[in-house]
Short mmCIF file of all heavy atoms in Angstrom, two decimals:
data_model
loop_
_atom_site.label_atom_id
_atom_site.label_comp_id
_atom_site.label_asym_id
_atom_site.label_seq_id
_atom_site.Cartn_x
_atom_site.Cartn_y
_atom_site.Cartn_z
N LEU A 125 0.81 -1.20 0.01
CA LEU A 125 0.00 0.00 0.00
C LEU A 125 0.86 1.27 0.02
O LEU A 125 0.49 2.29 -0.60
CB LEU A 125 -0.94 0.01 1.23
CG LEU A 125 -2.01 -1.08 1.25
CD1 LEU A 125 -2.78 -1.05 2.55
CD2 LEU A 125 -2.96 -0.94 0.04
N GLY A 126 2.01 1.21 0.67
CA GLY A 126 2.87 2.38 0.77
C GLY A 126 3.57 2.74 -0.53
O GLY A 126 4.10 3.85 -0.65
N CYS A 127 3.55 1.83 -1.49
CA CYS A 127 4.26 2.10 -2.74
C CYS A 127 3.61 3.24 -3.53
O CYS A 127 4.24 3.77 -4.46
CB CYS A 127 4.35 0.85 -3.60
SG CYS A 127 2.78 0.34 -4.33
N TYR A 128 2.37 3.60 -3.23
CA TYR A 128 1.73 4.69 -3.98
C TYR A 128 2.50 5.99 -3.82
O TYR A 128 2.61 6.79 -4.77
CB TYR A 128 0.29 4.85 -3.52
CG TYR A 128 -0.61 3.74 -3.95
CD1 TYR A 128 -0.98 2.71 -3.08
CD2 TYR A 128 -1.11 3.66 -5.27
CE1 TYR A 128 -1.79 1.66 -3.49
CE2 TYR A 128 -1.92 2.62 -5.68
CZ TYR A 128 -2.25 1.62 -4.79
OH TYR A 128 -3.06 0.58 -5.22
N LEU A 129 3.06 6.23 -2.63
CA LEU A 129 3.90 7.42 -2.43
C LEU A 129 5.15 7.33 -3.28
O LEU A 129 5.59 8.30 -3.88
CB LEU A 129 4.27 7.56 -0.95
CG LEU A 129 5.16 8.72 -0.57
CD1 LEU A 129 4.51 10.06 -0.97
CD2 LEU A 129 5.50 8.70 0.92
N PHE A 130 5.76 6.14 -3.36
CA PHE A 130 6.91 5.87 -4.19
C PHE A 130 6.61 6.20 -5.64
O PHE A 130 7.39 6.85 -6.36
CB PHE A 130 7.32 4.41 -4.03
CG PHE A 130 8.34 3.88 -4.99
CD1 PHE A 130 9.56 4.50 -5.11
CD2 PHE A 130 8.07 2.76 -5.73
CE1 PHE A 130 10.53 4.00 -6.02
CE2 PHE A 130 9.02 2.25 -6.62
CZ PHE A 130 10.25 2.84 -6.75
N TRP A 131 5.44 5.79 -6.13
CA TRP A 131 5.03 6.06 -7.51
C TRP A 131 4.92 7.55 -7.75
O TRP A 131 5.39 8.05 -8.75
CB TRP A 131 3.68 5.40 -7.78
CG TRP A 131 3.68 3.90 -7.76
CD1 TRP A 131 4.77 3.06 -7.59
CD2 TRP A 131 2.56 3.03 -7.90
NE1 TRP A 131 4.37 1.77 -7.64
CE2 TRP A 131 3.01 1.70 -7.79
CE3 TRP A 131 1.19 3.26 -8.06
CZ2 TRP A 131 2.15 0.59 -7.89
CZ3 TRP A 131 0.32 2.16 -8.16
CH2 TRP A 131 0.84 0.86 -8.08
N ILE A 132 4.26 8.23 -6.85
CA ILE A 132 4.05 9.70 -7.04
C ILE A 132 5.36 10.43 -7.13
O ILE A 132 5.58 11.22 -8.05
CB ILE A 132 3.19 10.25 -5.88
CG1 ILE A 132 1.75 9.71 -5.95
CG2 ILE A 132 3.16 11.79 -5.93
CD1 ILE A 132 0.90 10.02 -4.72
N VAL A 133 6.25 10.17 -6.19
CA VAL A 133 7.54 10.86 -6.14
C VAL A 133 8.34 10.59 -7.40
O VAL A 133 8.90 11.48 -8.03
CB VAL A 133 8.33 10.46 -4.87
CG1 VAL A 133 9.75 11.02 -4.93
CG2 VAL A 133 7.63 10.95 -3.62
N ASN A 134 8.45 9.31 -7.78
CA ASN A 134 9.28 8.97 -8.92
C ASN A 134 8.71 9.40 -10.27
O ASN A 134 9.47 9.81 -11.14
CB ASN A 134 9.58 7.46 -8.91
CG ASN A 134 10.72 7.10 -8.00
OD1 ASN A 134 10.82 7.64 -6.91
ND2 ASN A 134 11.58 6.17 -8.43
N TYR A 135 7.40 9.34 -10.39
CA TYR A 135 6.81 9.82 -11.65
C TYR A 135 7.02 11.33 -11.79
O TYR A 135 7.24 11.82 -12.91
CB TYR A 135 5.32 9.45 -11.73
CG TYR A 135 5.05 8.16 -12.44
CD1 TYR A 135 5.64 6.97 -12.01
CD2 TYR A 135 4.26 8.12 -13.59
CE1 TYR A 135 5.42 5.76 -12.69
CE2 TYR A 135 4.03 6.89 -14.25
CZ TYR A 135 4.60 5.74 -13.80
OH TYR A 135 4.39 4.54 -14.47
N ILE A 136 7.00 12.05 -10.69
CA ILE A 136 7.28 13.51 -10.76
C ILE A 136 8.75 13.71 -11.12
O ILE A 136 9.09 14.55 -11.95
CB ILE A 136 6.93 14.18 -9.42
CG1 ILE A 136 5.41 14.23 -9.25
CG2 ILE A 136 7.51 15.59 -9.38
CD1 ILE A 136 4.97 14.79 -7.90
N LEU A 137 9.63 12.94 -10.50
CA LEU A 137 11.07 13.06 -10.81
C LEU A 137 11.32 12.72 -12.30
O LEU A 137 12.14 13.38 -12.95
CB LEU A 137 11.89 12.11 -9.93
CG LEU A 137 12.05 12.51 -8.47
CD1 LEU A 137 12.76 11.42 -7.69
CD2 LEU A 137 12.80 13.84 -8.32
N ILE A 138 10.63 11.72 -12.81
CA ILE A 138 10.77 11.36 -14.22
C ILE A 138 10.23 12.49 -15.10
O ILE A 138 10.78 12.83 -16.11
CB ILE A 138 10.06 10.03 -14.50
CG1 ILE A 138 10.81 8.88 -13.80
CG2 ILE A 138 9.99 9.77 -16.02
CD1 ILE A 138 10.01 7.59 -13.71
N GLY A 139 9.11 13.13 -14.64
CA GLY A 139 8.54 14.19 -15.39
C GLY A 139 9.40 15.44 -15.42
O GLY A 139 9.20 16.35 -16.24
N ARG A 140 10.40 15.50 -14.56
CA ARG A 140 11.32 16.64 -14.51
C ARG A 140 12.54 16.44 -15.46
O ARG A 140 13.40 17.33 -15.54
CB ARG A 140 11.80 16.87 -13.09
CG ARG A 140 10.76 17.41 -12.15
CD ARG A 140 11.22 17.39 -10.68
NE ARG A 140 12.42 18.20 -10.52
CZ ARG A 140 12.42 19.50 -10.29
NH1 ARG A 140 11.29 20.16 -10.22
NH2 ARG A 140 13.57 20.15 -10.11
N GLN A 141 12.59 15.29 -16.09
CA GLN A 141 13.71 15.03 -17.03
C GLN A 141 13.53 15.82 -18.30
O GLN A 141 12.50 16.52 -18.49
CB GLN A 141 13.79 13.53 -17.33
CG GLN A 141 13.94 12.64 -16.10
CD GLN A 141 15.18 12.93 -15.31
OE1 GLN A 141 16.29 13.01 -15.85
NE2 GLN A 141 15.06 13.09 -13.99
N GLU A 142 14.49 15.74 -19.22
CA GLU A 142 14.39 16.42 -20.49
C GLU A 142 13.17 15.91 -21.27
O GLU A 142 12.74 14.78 -21.10
CB GLU A 142 15.65 16.19 -21.32
CG GLU A 142 16.91 16.85 -20.71
CD GLU A 142 18.12 16.62 -21.56
OE1 GLU A 142 18.00 15.94 -22.63
OE2 GLU A 142 19.21 17.08 -21.20
N LYS A 143 12.65 16.75 -22.11
CA LYS A 143 11.41 16.44 -22.81
C LYS A 143 11.52 15.15 -23.61
O LYS A 143 10.56 14.34 -23.66
CB LYS A 143 11.01 17.59 -23.74
CG LYS A 143 9.61 17.41 -24.30
CD LYS A 143 9.19 18.58 -25.15
CE LYS A 143 7.78 18.40 -25.68
NZ LYS A 143 7.34 19.53 -26.54
N LYS A 144 12.66 14.89 -24.21
CA LYS A 144 12.85 13.68 -25.00
C LYS A 144 12.64 12.43 -24.11
O LYS A 144 11.98 11.47 -24.53
CB LYS A 144 14.23 13.62 -25.61
CG LYS A 144 14.51 12.38 -26.44
CD LYS A 144 15.87 12.42 -27.10
CE LYS A 144 16.98 12.25 -26.07
NZ LYS A 144 18.30 12.11 -26.74
N GLU A 145 13.23 12.48 -22.91
CA GLU A 145 13.08 11.34 -21.96
C GLU A 145 11.66 11.23 -21.44
O GLU A 145 11.16 10.13 -21.23
CB GLU A 145 14.08 11.52 -20.82
CG GLU A 145 15.53 11.49 -21.26
CD GLU A 145 15.87 10.18 -21.95
OE1 GLU A 145 15.40 9.13 -21.53
OE2 GLU A 145 16.61 10.23 -22.96
N VAL A 146 11.01 12.37 -21.24
CA VAL A 146 9.63 12.37 -20.78
C VAL A 146 8.73 11.71 -21.84
O VAL A 146 7.84 10.91 -21.53
CB VAL A 146 9.15 13.80 -20.46
CG1 VAL A 146 7.62 13.82 -20.20
CG2 VAL A 146 9.89 14.31 -19.20
N CYS A 147 8.93 12.11 -23.09
CA CYS A 147 8.14 11.52 -24.19
C CYS A 147 8.33 10.00 -24.27
O CYS A 147 7.37 9.26 -24.42
CB CYS A 147 8.54 12.16 -25.52
SG CYS A 147 8.01 13.86 -25.71
N ARG A 148 9.57 9.59 -24.16
CA ARG A 148 9.87 8.14 -24.22
C ARG A 148 9.19 7.42 -23.05
O ARG A 148 8.52 6.39 -23.27
CB ARG A 148 11.35 7.90 -24.17
CG ARG A 148 11.69 6.41 -24.10
CD ARG A 148 13.18 6.14 -23.91
NE ARG A 148 13.43 4.68 -23.84
CZ ARG A 148 14.64 4.18 -23.61
NH1 ARG A 148 15.71 4.95 -23.41
NH2 ARG A 148 14.79 2.85 -23.58
N PHE A 149 9.33 7.93 -21.85
CA PHE A 149 8.79 7.25 -20.69
C PHE A 149 7.26 7.12 -20.76
O PHE A 149 6.71 6.04 -20.54
CB PHE A 149 9.20 7.96 -19.41
CG PHE A 149 8.65 7.30 -18.17
CD1 PHE A 149 9.31 6.21 -17.60
CD2 PHE A 149 7.47 7.74 -17.56
CE1 PHE A 149 8.79 5.58 -16.49
CE2 PHE A 149 6.96 7.10 -16.47
CZ PHE A 149 7.62 6.02 -15.90
N PHE A 150 6.60 8.23 -21.03
CA PHE A 150 5.14 8.20 -20.99
C PHE A 150 4.53 7.53 -22.20
O PHE A 150 3.40 7.03 -22.15
CB PHE A 150 4.58 9.59 -20.76
CG PHE A 150 4.76 10.06 -19.34
CD1 PHE A 150 5.78 10.91 -18.98
CD2 PHE A 150 3.91 9.59 -18.34
CE1 PHE A 150 5.96 11.32 -17.65
CE2 PHE A 150 4.07 10.00 -17.03
CZ PHE A 150 5.09 10.86 -16.69
N ALA A 151 5.28 7.47 -23.30
CA ALA A 151 4.85 6.66 -24.41
C ALA A 151 4.90 5.18 -24.03
O ALA A 151 3.96 4.40 -24.31
CB ALA A 151 5.74 6.89 -25.62
N ALA A 152 5.96 4.80 -23.31
CA ALA A 152 6.09 3.40 -22.82
C ALA A 152 5.00 3.08 -21.80
O ALA A 152 4.41 2.03 -21.82
CB ALA A 152 7.48 3.22 -22.21
N ASP A 153 4.71 4.06 -20.92
CA ASP A 153 3.68 3.89 -19.91
C ASP A 153 2.34 3.65 -20.57
O ASP A 153 1.58 2.75 -20.18
CB ASP A 153 3.66 5.16 -19.04
CG ASP A 153 2.75 4.98 -17.83
OD1 ASP A 153 3.21 4.37 -16.84
OD2 ASP A 153 1.58 5.47 -17.88
N PHE A 154 2.04 4.42 -21.60
CA PHE A 154 0.77 4.28 -22.30
C PHE A 154 0.70 2.90 -23.02
O PHE A 154 -0.33 2.19 -22.91
CB PHE A 154 0.61 5.39 -23.36
CG PHE A 154 -0.54 5.19 -24.31
CD1 PHE A 154 -1.83 5.41 -23.87
CD2 PHE A 154 -0.33 4.77 -25.60
CE1 PHE A 154 -2.92 5.22 -24.75
CE2 PHE A 154 -1.41 4.57 -26.45
CZ PHE A 154 -2.70 4.79 -26.03
N LEU A 155 1.72 2.52 -23.71
CA LEU A 155 1.75 1.24 -24.43
C LEU A 155 1.54 0.07 -23.45
O LEU A 155 0.84 -0.87 -23.76
CB LEU A 155 3.05 1.06 -25.17
CG LEU A 155 3.32 1.96 -26.38
CD1 LEU A 155 4.72 1.77 -26.91
CD2 LEU A 155 2.30 1.66 -27.49
N SER A 156 2.17 0.18 -22.29
CA SER A 156 2.03 -0.90 -21.31
C SER A 156 0.61 -1.09 -20.83
O SER A 156 0.16 -2.22 -20.64
CB SER A 156 2.95 -0.65 -20.09
OG SER A 156 2.48 0.42 -19.30
N ARG A 157 -0.13 -0.01 -20.68
CA ARG A 157 -1.50 -0.12 -20.22
C ARG A 157 -2.41 -0.70 -21.34
O ARG A 157 -3.37 -1.39 -21.04
CB ARG A 157 -2.05 1.22 -19.75
CG ARG A 157 -1.36 1.83 -18.58
CD ARG A 157 -1.08 0.84 -17.45
NE ARG A 157 -0.59 1.54 -16.28
CZ ARG A 157 0.64 1.99 -16.13
NH1 ARG A 157 1.55 1.78 -17.08
NH2 ARG A 157 0.98 2.65 -15.05
N VAL A 158 -2.09 -0.39 -22.57
CA VAL A 158 -2.85 -0.97 -23.69
C VAL A 158 -2.66 -2.48 -23.67
O VAL A 158 -3.63 -3.22 -23.83
CB VAL A 158 -2.39 -0.37 -25.04
CG1 VAL A 158 -3.03 -1.12 -26.19
CG2 VAL A 158 -2.74 1.14 -25.10
N VAL A 159 -1.41 -2.94 -23.46
CA VAL A 159 -1.14 -4.38 -23.40
C VAL A 159 -1.88 -4.99 -22.20
O VAL A 159 -2.46 -6.08 -22.29
CB VAL A 159 0.36 -4.64 -23.31
CG1 VAL A 159 0.65 -6.13 -23.08
CG2 VAL A 159 1.09 -4.16 -24.57
N CYS A 160 -1.83 -4.28 -21.06
CA CYS A 160 -2.53 -4.79 -19.88
C CYS A 160 -4.03 -4.95 -20.16
O CYS A 160 -4.63 -5.99 -19.77
CB CYS A 160 -2.35 -3.82 -18.72
SG CYS A 160 -0.76 -3.91 -17.90
N LEU A 161 -4.62 -3.99 -20.82
CA LEU A 161 -6.04 -4.06 -21.11
C LEU A 161 -6.36 -5.26 -22.01
O LEU A 161 -7.33 -5.99 -21.74
CB LEU A 161 -6.48 -2.77 -21.86
CG LEU A 161 -7.96 -2.70 -22.27
CD1 LEU A 161 -8.89 -2.80 -21.06
CD2 LEU A 161 -8.23 -1.41 -23.06
N VAL A 162 -5.51 -5.51 -23.00
CA VAL A 162 -5.72 -6.67 -23.87
C VAL A 162 -5.60 -7.96 -23.04
O VAL A 162 -6.42 -8.88 -23.20
CB VAL A 162 -4.66 -6.68 -24.99
CG1 VAL A 162 -4.73 -7.98 -25.78
CG2 VAL A 162 -4.90 -5.50 -25.94
N CYS A 163 -4.59 -8.04 -22.18
CA CYS A 163 -4.41 -9.25 -21.36
C CYS A 163 -5.59 -9.46 -20.41
O CYS A 163 -6.07 -10.60 -20.27
CB CYS A 163 -3.13 -9.12 -20.54
SG CYS A 163 -1.60 -9.22 -21.51
#
């Protein structure tokens, strides 16, 4: 249950990276949820 705080902090830290890295990360995040939905 405590990992939700870990997620919030790290996603914000990732969002503070350069735009190229942000685009890559959140594109990957989106693709993963599409696969999850299919599964």
Side-chain angles (χ1 to χ4, degrees):
L125 294 175
C127 72
Y128 289 100
L129 178 59
F130 169 56
W131 295 355
I132 292 170
V133 171
N134 276 41
Y135 266 58
I136 289 175
L137 287 174
I138 292 165
R140 289 171 59 87
Q141 303 300 311
E142 294 181 1
K143 189 176 182 182
K144 180 177 72 172
E145 296 302 320
V146 170
C147 289
R148 176 188 180 182
F149 179 83
F150 285 100
D153 189 81
F154 171 75
L155 290 174
S156 72
R157 297 315 189 282
V158 172
V159 174
C160 284
L161 179 60
V162 172
C163 290

